[in-house]
Amino acid sequence: MSDTECDTTTQPVTEQAVAETVDPAVPADAAVITGADAEAIAAAPATPDPGDTRTPDAADGPGGVTRLSLVPNGAAPTAAIPALDAAAVLATTDTAFALTDHRGHIGWVNPAMSALLGLTAEQSVGRALTALLAGAPDGPRGTDVVVSIPLPDGGGHRWLEIRCTQAKHGQLLYRVADVSRWRARELDAAGLAGHQDELLRMVDEDPLTGLPNRRALTRELERQLALGARGAFLLLDLDHFKDINDLHGHPTGDRVMCTLASLLRDRLGGVQGQVLGRLSGDEFAAVLADTDEREAVAVADRLRNAIAAIPMSGVAGASRITISVGIATFDTGVGWQEVLANADMALYASKAAGRNRVTVYEQGHYKDTALRVTVIERVRAALKHGGFVLNAMPMVKLGSGRVIGHELLLRLEDGREPRLGPGEFLLAAERSDLVFEIDRWVADKAIETLVAHPYPGLRFNVNVSGRTLEDEDFGGFVLDRLTAAGVAPGRLGFEITETAAVTNLDAARSLAQQLRASGCRITLDDFGSGFGSFVHLKQLPITGLKIDGEFIHGIDYGSRDTVLVQGIVDIARGLGLSVVAEWVERATQVEALSRLGVRVAQGFHLGEPEPLDALLARPHGAWMRRPTLMTDATVAAQARERP
């Protein structure tokens, strides 16, 4: 027997009969009961539980009438009951029924379901049943599901038994029965009656902060939408919260999270129509009913400023905590998924714009997100099916004009429009875990090429993403490949940007030590972009510096760049590091750099990047010959043509 059958005397009705009382020809948003299938219900079996000798209790249903129970379609009838009007049965039973489309959007509910949801039948239509009844199955299952929901008036909880079965035309039939009394007896028998309130609270409450959890918050949002409320949804994400957990441990992170939750609760708690919750590890959200865009922005800014003002005592290295906020206003006609997605896109825009700011969703964010998703799909396809190629840019010894190596640059050549430059697809990849695969692919291709062309003069430098510094296995992957391939490690170098290294100093130091100890070259790229990080040079086991191109741009104009570059060269020489200058586009820059003691440089004046395959197709050793220097006019013309 089911839990419901233990609690009631039953009059079984087939699920098919209930489903067919809703005319499938009527659109889902205007479904009505036809009552045309009374004969089907009359033919349904009546199989009371022979072991149930209880006297019907008025609490079981109006006038002691028992709840309607469903039996599997096709069950053999054992007796017939008088012909009934199906619509009347569904209208008077205290068992709740709903018919939805395959996505769980309600097309029809009976009065019992309407009362359970705290919505009228009209308000229920089009809403997501699985959001309003959090925990309800999203499709048919072999067993019933028991969930807990709060009463619409806030006066406690109910335990519900939910069954989902397949109906005609791809629809789903949900049957919901109140099993609170049975659940109470079960908990009492197990000695857990005193813990029922705690168990119920855990269903909808975040255990760390005590705030409503994701299911409670999305239920409230969908309920507000069903009621026709207008308002705003705020999505708040802590900036760089992962750094606190990584550097200080999760207990410290939990303490910070509780502090923030308390502050947010103080600012929003108790205000009518405002519900605050915690969606995930470092994400909070708030439903603000009857709030327009201007008011929502004002609320978000107050929260953002209040959090930034919290003193972070006991969190070394973190002067303050900041949040980024995405706002999506809502009105009738939308669902909770759409509102949450819009807020997420606005939040992403806040993060991309530099964090610690508030952004309101607008249509352009959807286009940006659609483009980003498309880019990620193209990157994933290029990794799996081909589409990435490597270009080689020569690094030239200024004294002799000889090529001493090449920097490998990744390009996406998948034949699709629009063409994407590295700044577009690499930025998208760095915001996903695909960047780990990309860096391994580049390193692997570089090693494969060095194996196929075992000439000592052929040497490559490859770039390492700041995200890859988080990959503790990357160094081992590279060294295993070099050892298996029999390639001298000195033929392969790695470039790490100064910003990435300083941001994640411990990880950069660990990778550099591992690779340099095996003989690989390690270059700190874009050096000088931070310029306050000279102190970190003694902590990083690097072999060379690449001067940021911004310092090279005006080096031949007698600007302050000359003094700065001279300082970098002197420091590098004192530390025994090699120096490479980038962005060399004029002959006069070569002359100025030579006077300052820079021995190696790269740039379009010294040699453009070319496909690696084209470089290797030349006769043995040709890649080491002096490149054809381009005139300043040619460099300028090609720069104008580059995207």
Side-chain angles (χ1 to χ4, degrees):
M1 290 186 296
S2 71
D3 299 338
T4 305
E5 292 169 334
C6 288
D7 202 35
T8 62
T9 307
T10 59
Q11 289 182 357
V13 176
T14 64
E15 295 160 2
Q16 177 181 357
V18 176
E20 289 177 351
T21 61
V22 179
D23 186 353
V26 178
D29 60 355
V32 295
I33 299 177
T34 65
D37 294 285
E39 293 183 2
I41 292 182
T47 55
D49 180 4
D52 190 348
T53 60
R54 296 179 297 126
T55 301
D57 188 335
D60 286 341
V65 177
T66 55
R67 287 199 296 270
L68 205 63
S69 169
L70 301 179
V71 298
N73 292 327
T78 60
I81 60 175
L84 298 172
D85 180 84
V89 172
L90 293 175
T92 57
T93 180
D94 60 352
T95 298
F97 290 97
L99 201 61
T100 76
D101 63 15
H102 67 283
R103 298 173 301 167
H105 292 168
I106 297 171
W108 166 86
V109 294
N110 74 335
M113 180 66 80
S114 180
L116 182 65
L117 300 178
L119 303 170
T120 66
E122 292 74 17
Q123 291 171 337
S124 301
V125 170
R127 308 323 312 178
L129 183 67
T130 51
L132 295 172
L133 292 181
D138 55 7
R141 293 188 181 178
T143 59
D144 296 346
V145 175
V146 177
V147 302
S148 168
I149 67 165
L151 296 174
D153 60 3
H157 284 72
R158 286 181 178 176
W159 289 102
L160 303 175
E161 180 189 70
I162 304 176
R163 179 179 298 176
C164 177
T165 54
Q166 191 71 47
K168 288 184 177 181
H169 308 288
Q171 295 174 306
L172 300 174
L173 175 66
Y174 285 86
R175 166 265 209 189
V176 182
D178 189 333
V179 294
S180 299
R181 292 175 56 205
W182 168 84
R183 198 67 166 177
R185 291 198 300 268
E186 182 187 57
L187 292 173
D188 185 57
L192 298 174
H195 299 282
Q196 175 163 259
D197 290 343
E198 181 181 352
L199 294 172
L200 291 170
R201 187 171 57 251
M202 289 172 59
V203 172
D204 290 328
E205 195 175 278
D206 173 55
L208 177 64
T209 63
L211 294 174
N213 59 17
R214 174 181 286 269
R215 61 181 274 164
L217 203 64
T218 54
R219 179 177 60 237
E220 175 62 21
L221 176 58
E222 186 72 347
R223 182 173 173 276
Q224 291 291 344
L225 293 169
L227 292 172
R230 299 181 178 182
F233 185 79
L234 273 57
L235 192 57
L236 307 91
D237 186 271
L238 274 68
D239 299 325
H240 303 299
F241 182 68
K242 183 177 183 296
D243 294 344
I244 294 178
N245 279 333
D246 290 347
L247 295 175
H248 304 286
H250 288 276
T252 300
D254 288 347
R255 188 173 69 251
V256 170
M257 190 64 60
C258 291
T259 300
L260 298 179
S262 178
L263 182 146
L264 293 172
R265 186 188 291 110
D266 290 343
R267 295 295 192 279
L268 288 175
V271 179
Q272 185 67 29
Q274 295 187 353
V275 180
L276 172 71
R278 184 186 182 200
L279 285 188
S280 62
D282 59 354
E283 274 190 345
F284 295 92
V287 179
L288 309 182
D290 300 320
T291 303
D292 61 23
E293 179 181 312
R294 179 184 58 80
E295 294 169 333
V297 170
V299 170
D301 272 327
R302 286 198 301 270
L303 296 176
R304 182 176 60 85
N305 292 330
I307 287 176
I310 297 177
M312 287 291 106
S313 58
V315 184
S319 58
R320 63 173 184 164
I321 294 291
T322 62
I323 61 169
S324 298
V325 185
I327 299 176
T329 57
F330 57 78
D331 203 338
T332 56
V334 298
W336 72 269
Q337 298 99 327
E338 182 179 347
V339 175
L340 189 58
N342 290 347
D344 191 58
M345 285 185 272
L347 174 63
Y348 186 91
S350 288
K351 293 282 190 181
R355 296 179 170 81
N356 190 27
R357 63 194 65 217
V358 176
T359 303
V360 179
Y361 171 78
E362 56 188 37
Q363 191 61 35
H365 295 147
Y366 178 82
K367 296 178 181 178
D368 293 342
T369 300
L371 175 60
R372 187 174 73 251
V373 171
T374 300
V375 170
I376 291 296
E377 290 175 350
R378 288 175 64 175
V379 168
R380 186 175 287 108
L383 284 167
K384 186 175 181 180
H385 304 295
F388 280 131
V389 298
L390 293 175
N391 283 4
M393 176 170 240
M395 294 182 288
V396 179
K397 194 168 185 178
L398 298 182
S400 63
R402 300 281 292 176
V403 175
I404 64 169
H406 292 81
E407 179 183 359
L408 297 184
L409 306 173
L410 187 65
R411 298 292 182 263
L412 180 62
E413 301 289 348
D414 59 357
R416 296 170 60 180
E417 295 293 336
R419 295 193 64 179
L420 299 175
E424 295 168 298
F425 69 81
L426 284 177
L427 181 61
E430 284 184 354
R431 290 170 176 161
S432 74
D433 291 343
L434 285 176
V435 71
F436 301 140
E437 297 182 48
I438 288 177
D439 280 0
R440 290 189 179 217
W441 184 89
V442 173
D444 197 50
K445 290 297 180 183
I447 294 171
E448 283 183 4
T449 303
L450 293 174
V451 171
H453 301 271
Y455 312 120
L458 185 66
R459 304 197 307 171
F460 294 142
N461 275 16
V462 299
N463 294 283
V464 177
S465 162
R467 286 287 312 281
T468 293
L469 295 179
E470 303 170 12
D471 183 358
E472 298 178 354
D473 298 326
F474 179 73
F477 165 79
V478 170
L479 297 180
D480 288 345
R481 291 287 290 113
L482 286 171
T483 301
V487 172
R491 298 178 65 197
L492 186 62
F494 294 87
E495 298 188 8
I496 305 171
T497 66
E498 177 194 19
T499 302
V502 173
T503 301
N504 203 343
L505 187 59
D506 289 339
R509 183 192 302 115
S510 176
L511 179 62
Q513 287 174 338
Q514 186 179 15
L515 295 177
R516 182 176 177 179
S518 298
C520 294
R521 291 169 285 110
I522 306 293
T523 299
L524 199 59
D525 195 8
D526 295 337
F527 186 77
S529 57
F531 215 78
S533 58
F534 277 108
V535 68
H536 297 299
L537 285 180
K538 63 182 181 180
Q539 302 181 46
L540 291 170
I542 58 177
T543 59
L545 301 176
K546 180 178 286 188
I547 305 174
D548 187 83
E550 290 292 343
F551 296 101
I552 308 302
H553 183 69
I555 195 71
D556 50 343
Y557 296 150
S559 65
R560 294 181 177 180
D561 291 337
T562 300
V563 177
L564 297 175
V565 170
Q566 183 68 71
I568 293 174
V569 171
D570 290 343
I571 291 172
R573 185 175 297 148
L575 295 174
L577 305 176
S578 62
V579 176
V580 178
E582 59 182 355
W583 291 17
V584 176
E585 298 184 342
R586 297 183 297 275
T588 50
Q589 289 174 317
V590 173
E591 297 170 2
L593 289 169
S594 297
R595 288 195 301 270
L596 294 173
V598 177
R599 297 188 177 92
V600 179
Q602 64 185 83
F604 284 95
H605 175 71
L606 299 173
E608 273 196 296
E610 64 176 318
L612 181 59
D613 290 344
L615 173 71
L616 299 174
R618 298 177 188 172
H620 166 47
W623 50 76
M624 296 177 61
R625 297 172 188 165
R626 181 188 181 101
T628 302
L629 303 183
M630 288 184 279
T631 65
D632 295 349
T634 301
V635 171
Q638 292 191 357
R640 287 193 297 271
E641 294 174 359
R642 294 195 298 270

